[in-house]
Amino acid sequence: MTAATVQTRACSERRDLLARYDSRAPRYTSYPTALQFSNAVDAEVYGDWLANLDPGEPVSLYAHIPFCDRLCWYCGCNTRVVKKRALISEYVERLVDELALVEARLPGKIKAGALHLGGGTPNMLSRDDLVRLFGALRHVFPFAPGVEISAELDPAVLTESWVQAAAFHGLTRASLGVQDLAPHVQEAVNRIEPFEVVARAVHWLREAEVASINLDLMYGLPKQTTDDVVSTLDTILTLRPERVALFGYAHVPWARANQKLIRDEDLADAEGRLAQSEAAAERLLRAGYVAIGLDHFALPSDELAIALEAGTLRRNFQGYTTDRHMTLIGLGASSIGRMPGGYVQNLTAEVAWRDAIAAGRLPVARGVALTDDDRLRADVIERLMCDFAVDYAAIAARHGVSPAVFAQDLPKLDALVADGLVTLDVGGVRVTEAGRPFVRLAAQAFDHRSDAKEGFSRAI
C-alpha cells in the first residue's frame, strides 16, 4: 500500500468519524445548562438564596453591559447598538438600584473576591459611569485584598483615557475581541478592525500596567479558511498576550436574528472547522502556550496554566477560570448568577428589567434549583471539560453515593470508546488526544437534563 493510499484512507476515515459525531451539544459552562432554567425560580426564591449566603465567604460579581457601538453578525450575546450616551448612563443608574435591592436581602456585608464586566462592550461606559458603578459595587460588596477585576473590551471603541480610568479602579485583566484579521472575514461578519487598532489597545493596557491580556479569536466564521486563522495567529502572537481564547463560531440563527445575515453556504463544514481549530492549536503550542481545556491557551506562567497543572481549573459562564468562589452575583439585564442553591437569570429584555427594578423587585426571570444529583453530575462534567479525564468513583465518594449511580451513563460512551476517542478504566474516564475536540459529547453522557434535540451549537 502506497503512502498516498494510506493518507487517502486516513482522510476518509476522518470524514466518516466527523460525520458520525457532527451533532449538537451544550458548551457546559454550567450544569444544568441555561435551557433548563424555568420560572420556578423567581425573585422570592432568589431573595431567600441571597439571605442565606455566608457573610464570611467572598463572592464573585458579574455586571452585564448590553451595549455596543456596532452590530457584529456572529454575536450571540444579549446586546444592542446604542449611540446615545445618556441611555448608557441611565442603565448604570438602574444597575446601582439593582445593587440596592440585592443589598437589602444580604445577611450582612460580603466581600467581593472577583468582578467581571461583560457584554456587549463594557468600554462603552463613560469615565463618570465607571466611577458611579465602582462606587456602588464597593459600597455593597467591599473589595477583598487581591480582588481580580476583568473586562471584555472592543478595541475599536477603546480609548487611552478609558484604560487609565479602569486601571485606576483596579482592572487586572482585559479580554480584547479580535476574532480574525482577514479583511474578507471581517467584512463577512461586519467587524472591520485592522491589526493596528488591536496593537494600540494592547499598548495602552500594558502602559497602564494591566497585568494580564487575553485575545479572543474565532474559527468557523463565514468565508474563513485555515490560512486565515493561522495568519491571524502569526500576527497577534507578536503582542505576546498572556492568554488566547479560540472559540468555535456557534451558528444559531433561530436564537440570534443578527446571525441570519450569515449564509449557511459561507460556513465551513465539521471537517473544515476541525482543520482550522487544529492548525491554530498547533501554532499556539509551538509558540510556547499551554492548551487549557477545549478552547483556551495560556503562557506557562499564567494562572490558568498553573491551575491546570494543580487540577484546580474551573469552568463558568466566562469560560475557563481560576475563580474558586462558590457564589456569583449577576447584575444587569440577562445576567446569570450562581448560588449554593442554584442558578438564577435576570430578565433579558432591558425594559422589563428596568420595570422590575423600578417596582422594587429583584429583576429575576428564571433559574433552576440544584438537586444533589445535579451537583454530582456538574462535578463530573466540569472535570471532563477541564482535565479531559475524571475519576468519577472518587467524585461519587465525595458526594456520598456509589459509583453505580453512573451505570446507565457509561454505555453512552461505547461509540466514542470504539473509535479511540475515550478510554475507560475502573472508576474513571479519559478523553484521548484524538478525542479532545469531542469532549462535549463525552460530557453529554453524564447529562441527565439536556435533550440532544435542543438548540445547542455544533459539538465540533
Side-chain angles (χ1 to χ4, degrees):
M1 186 180 299
T2 66
T5 302
V6 171
Q7 184 176 10
T8 299
R9 177 173 294 180
C11 290
S12 176
E13 291 174 350
R14 181 183 175 91
R15 280 193 294 270
D16 290 344
L17 187 70
L18 291 170
R20 286 200 298 278
Y21 294 113
D22 188 16
S23 58
R24 298 185 179 275
R27 288 183 178 271
Y28 292 117
T29 52
S30 72
Y31 182 81
T33 70
L35 286 183
Q36 278 73 59
F37 292 7
S38 77
N39 60 10
V41 172
D42 56 16
E44 184 176 352
V45 172
Y46 181 40
D48 289 341
W49 285 349
L50 288 170
N52 288 318
L53 291 176
D54 181 355
E57 289 291 327
V59 301
S60 291
L61 306 175
Y62 173 79
H64 188 74
I65 312 299
F67 308 115
C68 287
D69 187 62
R70 54 185 172 173
L71 175 66
C72 300
W73 294 348
Y74 61 80
C75 185
C77 301
N78 179 51
T79 187
R80 64 188 177 99
V81 174
V82 170
K83 298 298 183 182
K84 294 182 179 179
R85 294 288 172 171
L87 294 175
I88 302 174
S89 295
E90 290 172 8
Y91 180 86
V92 171
E93 287 300 320
R94 298 295 78 75
L95 277 176
V96 173
D97 292 341
E98 183 182 359
L99 271 164
L101 293 174
V102 170
E103 181 182 26
R105 302 306 298 265
L106 295 175
K109 284 293 183 184
I110 299 179
K111 291 184 177 180
L115 165 64
H116 184 78
L117 303 179
T121 305
N123 53 300
M124 290 284 286
L125 299 181
S126 68
R127 291 167 64 100
D128 288 344
D129 291 335
L130 278 179
V131 171
R132 184 80 175 97
L133 179 57
F134 271 91
L137 289 167
R138 290 177 184 272
H139 170 74
V140 179
F141 296 98
F143 288 0
V147 61
E148 180 177 289
I149 300 175
S150 55
E152 300 166 14
L153 308 176
D154 182 351
V157 295
L158 190 64
T159 65
E160 186 174 14
S161 63
W162 195 95
V163 170
Q164 291 170 347
F168 174 81
H169 289 290
L171 184 68
T172 58
R173 175 169 291 112
S175 289
L176 299 172
V178 178
Q179 321 317 341
D180 192 285
L181 294 175
H184 62 274
V185 177
Q186 293 187 352
E187 183 177 349
V189 296
N190 195 41
R191 186 185 177 94
I192 307 303
E193 188 171 272
F195 172 67
E196 292 73 23
V197 172
V198 178
R200 181 185 64 189
V202 170
H203 172 73
W204 288 337
L205 291 162
R206 297 288 192 206
E207 286 289 301
E209 299 183 350
V210 174
S212 179
I213 294 174
N214 173 84
L215 298 184
D216 289 338
L217 305 181
M218 296 185 78
Y219 64 89
L221 290 171
K223 299 186 178 180
Q224 189 179 35
T225 67
T226 299
D227 286 344
D228 293 331
V229 175
V230 173
S231 177
T232 293
L233 271 171
D234 285 340
T235 304
I236 67 103
L237 286 179
T238 62
L239 302 174
R240 202 61 175 171
E242 281 72 22
R243 300 179 185 179
V244 174
L246 181 69
F247 299 120
Y249 166 58
H251 191 55
V252 288
W254 57 87
R256 303 303 306 179
N258 52 292
Q259 292 189 359
K260 294 178 182 178
L261 297 168
I262 293 176
R263 301 187 308 170
D264 290 349
E265 55 266 34
D266 287 337
L267 299 172
D269 58 14
E271 186 176 6
R273 286 170 62 91
L274 185 56
Q276 291 175 16
S277 173
E278 289 181 337
E282 190 276 334
R283 180 68 185 86
L284 284 160
L285 293 175
R286 277 199 293 117
Y289 287 79
V290 176
I292 308 292
L294 184 63
D295 49 23
H296 281 53
F297 297 81
L299 293 175
S301 58
D302 186 84
E303 291 179 354
L304 275 185
I306 294 170
L308 176 67
E309 183 69 22
T312 59
L313 188 67
R314 301 295 306 275
R315 186 161 173 81
N316 64 17
F317 290 102
Q318 281 73 59
Y320 291 102
T321 180
T322 59
D323 188 349
R324 303 292 296 172
H325 301 101
M326 297 305 297
T327 297
L328 170 68
I329 306 292
L331 303 162
S334 80
S335 67
I336 297 177
R338 182 188 66 244
M339 313 292 289
Y343 291 97
V344 60
Q345 183 173 24
N346 276 352
L347 291 155
T348 299
E350 191 183 326
V351 171
W353 171 80
R354 289 172 182 264
D355 288 347
I357 293 170
R361 299 192 309 271
L362 290 166
V364 171
R366 60 192 188 129
V368 60
L370 293 175
T371 66
D372 288 342
D373 187 66
D374 289 334
R375 294 184 176 91
L376 169 70
R377 294 179 181 281
D379 282 355
V380 170
I381 288 170
E382 183 175 46
R383 296 285 31 102
L384 272 173
M385 294 298 297
C386 290
D387 304 332
F388 295 99
V390 62
D391 185 339
Y392 64 80
I395 289 178
R398 288 203 301 272
H399 284 260
V401 299
S402 166
V405 72
F406 299 116
Q408 295 181 339
D409 305 310
L410 297 176
K412 300 174 187 176
L413 295 168
D414 286 349
L416 294 170
V417 171
D419 286 324
L421 306 177
V422 166
T423 61
L424 301 178
D425 56 29
V426 178
V429 177
R430 185 179 67 84
V431 178
T432 66
E433 190 67 28
R436 289 172 74 98
F438 304 85
V439 65
R440 290 161 61 193
L441 296 175
Q444 199 170 30
F446 296 93
D447 184 342
H448 277 199
R449 291 267 200 167
S450 301
D451 185 334
K453 297 179 181 179
E454 291 178 313
F456 299 112
S457 61
R458 294 167 71 174
I460 304 170

